[in-house]
Amino acid sequence: MPPSVRPSARSFFWAAASCAVLVLLAIGFADRPVSTWSHAHLHGQQGFIWLTWIVDPIPPLAVLGLIGAGIAVVAGWRPGARGRVLLAFCLATVAALVIKDELKILFGRTWPETWTNNNPSWIRDGVFGFEPFHGGAGWFSFPSGHTTLITAPMVVLWLCVPRLRAVWAALIALVVIGLLGADFHWLSDIIAGFYLGTAVAIGVVALLRARP
C-alpha cells in the first residue's frame, strides 16, 4: 500500500469544483457535437464496442475476490501488503458499482443513442437532458458506469503498483475511447465517471491504510 493517501480538504474542494466545471462545460459545449460526430463517422465499428468489454470481467472478479478473501480470513489468513492491494481493488470496484447506480437514478439522464427498450435519445429523438429520479434503463446515462468501473480499480493499482502506471492509464484510456467511438456515453458522463472512480479508489485505499 502507498505510505499515505490523505487528500486535504482543500484538494477535495478543488477536485469537486473542477469536476463540476468540466461536466458543465461538456454539457454546454461538447456533448451533442461529439455524439453527433461519433454517430456520423464511427457508427457501427465493432472495434470501439470491443474496447468497452475490457470492463466486463472486473466486477464479477471483484465480487469473487471479496468472497474468497472473507473465507480466507475466517480460515486464519491475515492480509499483508499484497493482500491489502487485492482487497482495495475488490472493494473499490464493488463500491463504485453500487454508488454509480444510485447516482444514475438520481440524475436520470437520457442516452446519446437509442439502444435499449426503445429509449429516447439525442440521435433518434433530439432528446437531451436530465429527469431526476425518473427511473428506467432509458434514463441511466450519468455518470458513465463503464468509466467508473475501470477507473476505480485502476486508480487503486496506480496508487499501489506505481511501476505499471502506464498500463493502468492505458486501460482507462482504451475504455474511454471505446465509449466515445461507440457513442455509448456523453463526454460529461465519462468525466463524471472518471472523477467518481478516482474518489472511490482514493477513499478505499486511505481506509485500508488507516490504523486504529
Side-chain angles (χ1 to χ4, degrees):
M1 301 292 284
S4 179
V5 181
R6 294 182 180 178
S8 65
R10 178 177 296 180
S11 63
F12 176 82
F13 169 80
W14 285 115
S18 65
C19 177
V21 169
L22 290 174
V23 166
L24 290 173
L25 287 173
I27 290 172
F29 300 103
D31 281 354
R32 283 167 285 189
V34 169
S35 174
T36 300
W37 185 91
S38 178
H39 178 80
H41 297 280
L42 305 176
H43 185 70
Q45 296 188 24
Q46 288 295 313
F48 292 106
I49 297 175
W50 294 340
L51 289 177
T52 69
W53 294 350
I54 293 172
V55 179
D56 291 356
I58 295 178
L61 288 175
V63 171
L64 290 174
L66 286 180
I67 293 172
I71 294 172
V73 167
V74 171
W77 174 66
R78 294 298 178 263
R82 292 182 179 179
R84 283 174 174 261
V85 173
L86 172 64
L87 287 173
F89 181 99
C90 296
L91 285 170
T93 302
V94 174
L97 183 66
V98 174
I99 294 170
K100 63 94 176 172
D101 282 347
E102 295 303 315
L103 290 176
K104 284 175 177 287
I105 295 170
L106 171 63
F107 285 101
R109 191 181 198 186
T110 53
W111 300 89
E113 298 262 6
T114 299
W115 58 272
T116 178
N117 298 322
N118 204 34
N119 63 283
S121 70
W122 166 249
I123 295 299
R124 191 191 69 175
D125 309 297
V127 173
F128 181 77
F130 295 82
E131 297 183 45
F133 299 106
H134 184 286
W139 289 261
F140 226 50
S141 184
F142 184 92
S144 165
H146 277 73
T147 307
T148 306
L149 289 175
I150 191 64
T151 301
M154 292 306 109
V155 170
V156 167
L157 295 177
W158 173 281
L159 294 170
C160 300
V161 192
R163 67 183 180 278
L164 296 177
R165 280 181 171 175
V167 175
W168 317 138
L171 289 171
I172 296 173
L174 287 172
V175 172
V176 168
I177 291 169
L179 292 172
L180 292 174
D183 204 20
F184 281 176
H185 270 289
W186 306 104
L187 177 60
S188 56
D189 297 344
I190 292 169
I191 294 170
F194 177 79
Y195 272 86
L196 174 60
T198 300
V200 170
I202 292 173
V204 168
V205 171
L207 178 65
L208 290 180
R209 179 65 189 172
R211 292 289 187 270

